[in-house]
Amino acid sequence: REHHQWHRARRLGAGGQVIGAGCGRVGQLLVDVFTAQRVACVAIEQDAHVVAHLRERGVPVVDGNASRAELRP
């Protein structure tokens, strides 16, 4: 599963998108700024509630721990 998530993160980030590693308070603020400015971004987050919230907002998100090397591009 994590191997699949890594390939998804690389594919999503391949077009020059900003990749946010973790979407706590500051990460979500950055997602808001990028979205408002129409900057393509993708998030890596392990908290299931945050992942669900981001997906509801239409933010591309990879479910996993960004500190794991296999999830980083």
Side-chain angles (χ1 to χ4, degrees):
R1 173 184 137 111
E2 288 184 2
H3 184 68
H4 170 72
Q5 295 288 342
W6 153 246
H7 285 292
R8 182 164 184 249
R10 279 193 69 100
R11 187 174 64 248
L12 290 170
Q17 296 95 334
V18 173
I19 297 176
C23 281
R25 183 178 58 85
V26 173
Q28 287 196 33
L29 287 173
L30 289 172
V31 167
D32 291 343
V33 169
F34 293 137
T35 302
Q37 296 296 317
R38 298 179 192 248
V39 174
C41 64
V42 60
I44 302 174
E45 176 58 53
Q46 66 181 354
D47 183 304
H49 293 100
V50 175
V51 169
H53 176 72
L54 291 169
R55 287 185 176 151
E56 287 172 5
R57 294 177 49 202
V59 176
V61 60
V62 174
D63 183 5
N65 185 332
S67 69
R68 302 213 34 178
E70 58 270 12
L71 287 181
R72 293 189 308 261

mmCIF file of all heavy atoms in Angstrom, residues 37-64:
data_model
loop_
_atom_site.group_PDB
_atom_site.id
_atom_site.type_symbol
_atom_site.label_atom_id
_atom_site.label_comp_id
_atom_site.label_asym_id
_atom_site.label_seq_id
_atom_site.Cartn_x
_atom_site.Cartn_y
_atom_site.Cartn_z
ATOM 1 N N GLN A 37 -4.619 30.917 -4.331
ATOM 2 C CA GLN A 37 -3.759 31.467 -5.379
ATOM 3 C C GLN A 37 -3.709 30.563 -6.616
ATOM 4 O O GLN A 37 -2.963 30.841 -7.552
ATOM 5 C CB GLN A 37 -2.335 31.671 -4.833
ATOM 6 C CG GLN A 37 -2.249 32.692 -3.726
ATOM 7 C CD GLN A 37 -2.621 34.080 -4.201
ATOM 8 O OE1 GLN A 37 -2.210 34.509 -5.272
ATOM 9 N NE2 GLN A 37 -3.417 34.783 -3.408
ATOM 10 N N ARG A 38 -4.492 29.501 -6.587
ATOM 11 C CA ARG A 38 -4.549 28.530 -7.699
ATOM 12 C C ARG A 38 -3.198 27.896 -7.994
ATOM 13 O O ARG A 38 -2.829 27.660 -9.151
ATOM 14 C CB ARG A 38 -5.140 29.157 -8.942
ATOM 15 C CG ARG A 38 -6.566 29.615 -8.715
ATOM 16 C CD ARG A 38 -7.137 30.254 -9.955
ATOM 17 N NE ARG A 38 -8.389 30.921 -9.617
ATOM 18 C CZ ARG A 38 -9.569 30.518 -10.049
ATOM 19 N NH1 ARG A 38 -9.673 29.480 -10.820
ATOM 20 N NH2 ARG A 38 -10.650 31.179 -9.701
ATOM 21 N N VAL A 39 -2.446 27.636 -6.918
ATOM 22 C CA VAL A 39 -1.183 26.918 -7.023
ATOM 23 C C VAL A 39 -1.495 25.445 -6.776
ATOM 24 O O VAL A 39 -2.081 25.094 -5.754
ATOM 25 C CB VAL A 39 -0.157 27.431 -5.984
ATOM 26 C CG1 VAL A 39 1.095 26.581 -5.996
ATOM 27 C CG2 VAL A 39 0.162 28.895 -6.230
ATOM 28 N N ALA A 40 -1.127 24.596 -7.715
ATOM 29 C CA ALA A 40 -1.382 23.168 -7.570
ATOM 30 C C ALA A 40 -0.593 22.621 -6.388
ATOM 31 O O ALA A 40 0.587 22.921 -6.221
ATOM 32 C CB ALA A 40 -0.994 22.434 -8.845
ATOM 33 N N CYS A 41 -1.266 21.854 -5.544
ATOM 34 C CA CYS A 41 -0.588 21.273 -4.394
ATOM 35 C C CYS A 41 -1.142 19.883 -4.115
ATOM 36 O O CYS A 41 -2.250 19.547 -4.520
ATOM 37 C CB CYS A 41 -0.723 22.168 -3.165
ATOM 38 S SG CYS A 41 -2.407 22.386 -2.566
ATOM 39 N N VAL A 42 -0.345 19.093 -3.441
ATOM 40 C CA VAL A 42 -0.743 17.771 -2.977
ATOM 41 C C VAL A 42 -0.217 17.629 -1.555
ATOM 42 O O VAL A 42 0.859 18.124 -1.232
ATOM 43 C CB VAL A 42 -0.208 16.645 -3.902
ATOM 44 C CG1 VAL A 42 1.300 16.653 -3.978
ATOM 45 C CG2 VAL A 42 -0.717 15.287 -3.465
ATOM 46 N N ALA A 43 -1.014 17.009 -0.701
ATOM 47 C CA ALA A 43 -0.637 16.856 0.700
ATOM 48 C C ALA A 43 -0.307 15.400 1.010
ATOM 49 O O ALA A 43 -0.868 14.491 0.414
ATOM 50 C CB ALA A 43 -1.781 17.314 1.603
ATOM 51 N N ILE A 44 0.610 15.206 1.944
ATOM 52 C CA ILE A 44 0.874 13.883 2.518
ATOM 53 C C ILE A 44 0.498 14.000 3.984
ATOM 54 O O ILE A 44 1.040 14.836 4.705
ATOM 55 C CB ILE A 44 2.347 13.472 2.368
ATOM 56 C CG1 ILE A 44 2.769 13.471 0.899
ATOM 57 C CG2 ILE A 44 2.571 12.094 2.993
ATOM 58 C CD1 ILE A 44 4.253 13.203 0.671
ATOM 59 N N GLU A 45 -0.454 13.187 4.420
ATOM 60 C CA GLU A 45 -0.982 13.285 5.791
ATOM 61 C C GLU A 45 -1.356 11.897 6.286
ATOM 62 O O GLU A 45 -1.860 11.070 5.523
ATOM 63 C CB GLU A 45 -2.209 14.200 5.809
ATOM 64 C CG GLU A 45 -2.908 14.317 7.128
ATOM 65 C CD GLU A 45 -2.014 14.809 8.258
ATOM 66 O OE1 GLU A 45 -1.365 15.852 8.118
ATOM 67 O OE2 GLU A 45 -1.976 14.118 9.295
ATOM 68 N N GLN A 46 -1.125 11.650 7.578
ATOM 69 C CA GLN A 46 -1.440 10.340 8.139
ATOM 70 C C GLN A 46 -2.707 10.320 8.994
ATOM 71 O O GLN A 46 -3.258 9.252 9.251
ATOM 72 C CB GLN A 46 -0.258 9.805 8.938
ATOM 73 C CG GLN A 46 0.070 10.588 10.182
ATOM 74 C CD GLN A 46 1.259 10.010 10.911
ATOM 75 O OE1 GLN A 46 1.778 8.962 10.560
ATOM 76 N NE2 GLN A 46 1.694 10.701 11.950
ATOM 77 N N ASP A 47 -3.188 11.464 9.436
ATOM 78 C CA ASP A 47 -4.395 11.513 10.258
ATOM 79 C C ASP A 47 -5.624 11.312 9.366
ATOM 80 O O ASP A 47 -5.900 12.125 8.475
ATOM 81 C CB ASP A 47 -4.469 12.861 10.977
ATOM 82 C CG ASP A 47 -5.663 12.970 11.911
ATOM 83 O OD1 ASP A 47 -6.806 12.780 11.440
ATOM 84 O OD2 ASP A 47 -5.454 13.262 13.098
ATOM 85 N N ALA A 48 -6.362 10.236 9.613
ATOM 86 C CA ALA A 48 -7.501 9.872 8.760
ATOM 87 C C ALA A 48 -8.559 10.973 8.698
ATOM 88 O O ALA A 48 -9.168 11.192 7.649
ATOM 89 C CB ALA A 48 -8.131 8.571 9.250
ATOM 90 N N HIS A 49 -8.780 11.673 9.804
ATOM 91 C CA HIS A 49 -9.777 12.750 9.814
ATOM 92 C C HIS A 49 -9.336 13.917 8.932
ATOM 93 O O HIS A 49 -10.142 14.489 8.192
ATOM 94 C CB HIS A 49 -10.040 13.232 11.241
ATOM 95 C CG HIS A 49 -10.717 12.203 12.082
ATOM 96 N ND1 HIS A 49 -10.027 11.429 12.981
ATOM 97 C CD2 HIS A 49 -12.008 11.807 12.132
ATOM 98 C CE1 HIS A 49 -10.865 10.592 13.568
ATOM 99 N NE2 HIS A 49 -12.074 10.799 13.066
ATOM 100 N N VAL A 50 -8.056 14.253 9.001
ATOM 101 C CA VAL A 50 -7.528 15.341 8.186
ATOM 102 C C VAL A 50 -7.557 14.940 6.709
ATOM 103 O O VAL A 50 -7.931 15.735 5.848
ATOM 104 C CB VAL A 50 -6.094 15.733 8.626
ATOM 105 C CG1 VAL A 50 -5.487 16.778 7.696
ATOM 106 C CG2 VAL A 50 -6.103 16.245 10.066
ATOM 107 N N VAL A 51 -7.173 13.688 6.427
ATOM 108 C CA VAL A 51 -7.215 13.184 5.045
ATOM 109 C C VAL A 51 -8.629 13.307 4.491
ATOM 110 O O VAL A 51 -8.840 13.812 3.384
ATOM 111 C CB VAL A 51 -6.719 11.722 4.973
ATOM 112 C CG1 VAL A 51 -7.006 11.106 3.608
ATOM 113 C CG2 VAL A 51 -5.232 11.645 5.289
ATOM 114 N N ALA A 52 -9.624 12.867 5.267
ATOM 115 C CA ALA A 52 -11.021 12.939 4.815
ATOM 116 C C ALA A 52 -11.440 14.385 4.575
ATOM 117 O O ALA A 52 -12.086 14.690 3.568
ATOM 118 C CB ALA A 52 -11.938 12.276 5.836
ATOM 119 N N HIS A 53 -11.055 15.281 5.482
ATOM 120 C CA HIS A 53 -11.413 16.706 5.345
ATOM 121 C C HIS A 53 -10.800 17.299 4.085
ATOM 122 O O HIS A 53 -11.470 18.019 3.335
ATOM 123 C CB HIS A 53 -10.956 17.471 6.586
ATOM 124 C CG HIS A 53 -11.177 18.937 6.507
ATOM 125 N ND1 HIS A 53 -12.432 19.520 6.581
ATOM 126 C CD2 HIS A 53 -10.304 19.961 6.336
ATOM 127 C CE1 HIS A 53 -12.312 20.819 6.466
ATOM 128 N NE2 HIS A 53 -11.034 21.116 6.322
ATOM 129 N N LEU A 54 -9.524 17.005 3.840
ATOM 130 C CA LEU A 54 -8.853 17.532 2.652
ATOM 131 C C LEU A 54 -9.496 16.991 1.380
ATOM 132 O O LEU A 54 -9.710 17.729 0.421
ATOM 133 C CB LEU A 54 -7.362 17.201 2.686
ATOM 134 C CG LEU A 54 -6.541 17.930 3.751
ATOM 135 C CD1 LEU A 54 -5.154 17.327 3.851
ATOM 136 C CD2 LEU A 54 -6.458 19.414 3.440
ATOM 137 N N ARG A 55 -9.802 15.712 1.377
ATOM 138 C CA ARG A 55 -10.435 15.114 0.194
ATOM 139 C C ARG A 55 -11.818 15.714 -0.054
ATOM 140 O O ARG A 55 -12.197 15.931 -1.209
ATOM 141 C CB ARG A 55 -10.506 13.605 0.334
ATOM 142 C CG ARG A 55 -9.135 12.972 0.157
ATOM 143 C CD ARG A 55 -9.172 11.479 0.176
ATOM 144 N NE ARG A 55 -7.827 10.959 -0.106
ATOM 145 C CZ ARG A 55 -7.362 9.823 0.339
ATOM 146 N NH1 ARG A 55 -8.142 9.021 1.058
ATOM 147 N NH2 ARG A 55 -6.141 9.434 0.050
ATOM 148 N N GLU A 56 -12.564 15.998 1.018
ATOM 149 C CA GLU A 56 -13.873 16.647 0.866
ATOM 150 C C GLU A 56 -13.721 18.016 0.208
ATOM 151 O O GLU A 56 -14.605 18.462 -0.512
ATOM 152 C CB GLU A 56 -14.554 16.809 2.226
ATOM 153 C CG GLU A 56 -15.089 15.521 2.805
ATOM 154 C CD GLU A 56 -15.586 15.696 4.243
ATOM 155 O OE1 GLU A 56 -15.602 16.835 4.763
ATOM 156 O OE2 GLU A 56 -15.952 14.673 4.839
ATOM 157 N N ARG A 57 -12.604 18.674 0.473
ATOM 158 C CA ARG A 57 -12.333 19.991 -0.102
ATOM 159 C C ARG A 57 -11.750 19.900 -1.505
ATOM 160 O O ARG A 57 -11.500 20.916 -2.141
ATOM 161 C CB ARG A 57 -11.367 20.753 0.800
ATOM 162 C CG ARG A 57 -11.957 21.104 2.149
ATOM 163 C CD ARG A 57 -10.956 21.798 3.041
ATOM 164 N NE ARG A 57 -10.285 22.882 2.345
ATOM 165 C CZ ARG A 57 -9.108 23.372 2.723
ATOM 166 N NH1 ARG A 57 -8.477 22.892 3.761
ATOM 167 N NH2 ARG A 57 -8.551 24.354 2.044
ATOM 168 N N GLY A 58 -11.489 18.683 -1.969
ATOM 169 C CA GLY A 58 -10.945 18.496 -3.307
ATOM 170 C C GLY A 58 -9.435 18.602 -3.394
ATOM 171 O O GLY A 58 -8.882 18.716 -4.486
ATOM 172 N N VAL A 59 -8.772 18.560 -2.239
ATOM 173 C CA VAL A 59 -7.310 18.638 -2.220
ATOM 174 C C VAL A 59 -6.742 17.238 -2.462
ATOM 175 O O VAL A 59 -7.115 16.298 -1.757
ATOM 176 C CB VAL A 59 -6.801 19.175 -0.857
ATOM 177 C CG1 VAL A 59 -5.287 19.159 -0.797
ATOM 178 C CG2 VAL A 59 -7.347 20.571 -0.599
ATOM 179 N N PRO A 60 -5.852 17.064 -3.438
ATOM 180 C CA PRO A 60 -5.205 15.765 -3.620
ATOM 181 C C PRO A 60 -4.364 15.445 -2.392
ATOM 182 O O PRO A 60 -3.568 16.277 -1.939
ATOM 183 C CB PRO A 60 -4.315 15.957 -4.851
ATOM 184 C CG PRO A 60 -4.811 17.196 -5.513
ATOM 185 C CD PRO A 60 -5.422 18.036 -4.434
ATOM 186 N N VAL A 61 -4.554 14.274 -1.829
ATOM 187 C CA VAL A 61 -3.839 13.908 -0.601
ATOM 188 C C VAL A 61 -3.437 12.439 -0.654
ATOM 189 O O VAL A 61 -4.195 11.593 -1.115
ATOM 190 C CB VAL A 61 -4.690 14.226 0.664
ATOM 191 C CG1 VAL A 61 -5.992 13.486 0.670
ATOM 192 C CG2 VAL A 61 -3.915 13.975 1.932
ATOM 193 N N VAL A 62 -2.219 12.184 -0.205
ATOM 194 C CA VAL A 62 -1.704 10.828 -0.059
ATOM 195 C C VAL A 62 -1.783 10.489 1.418
ATOM 196 O O VAL A 62 -1.293 11.244 2.260
ATOM 197 C CB VAL A 62 -0.248 10.731 -0.568
ATOM 198 C CG1 VAL A 62 0.336 9.361 -0.276
ATOM 199 C CG2 VAL A 62 -0.198 11.039 -2.051
ATOM 200 N N ASP A 63 -2.398 9.369 1.727
ATOM 201 C CA ASP A 63 -2.571 8.914 3.106
ATOM 202 C C ASP A 63 -1.299 8.197 3.547
ATOM 203 O O ASP A 63 -0.983 7.123 3.053
ATOM 204 C CB ASP A 63 -3.776 7.974 3.166
ATOM 205 C CG ASP A 63 -4.083 7.499 4.563
ATOM 206 O OD1 ASP A 63 -3.429 7.956 5.523
ATOM 207 O OD2 ASP A 63 -4.996 6.666 4.699
ATOM 208 N N GLY A 64 -0.535 8.828 4.441
ATOM 209 C CA GLY A 64 0.687 8.208 4.939
ATOM 210 C C GLY A 64 1.513 9.175 5.752
ATOM 211 O O GLY A 64 1.194 10.346 5.886
#
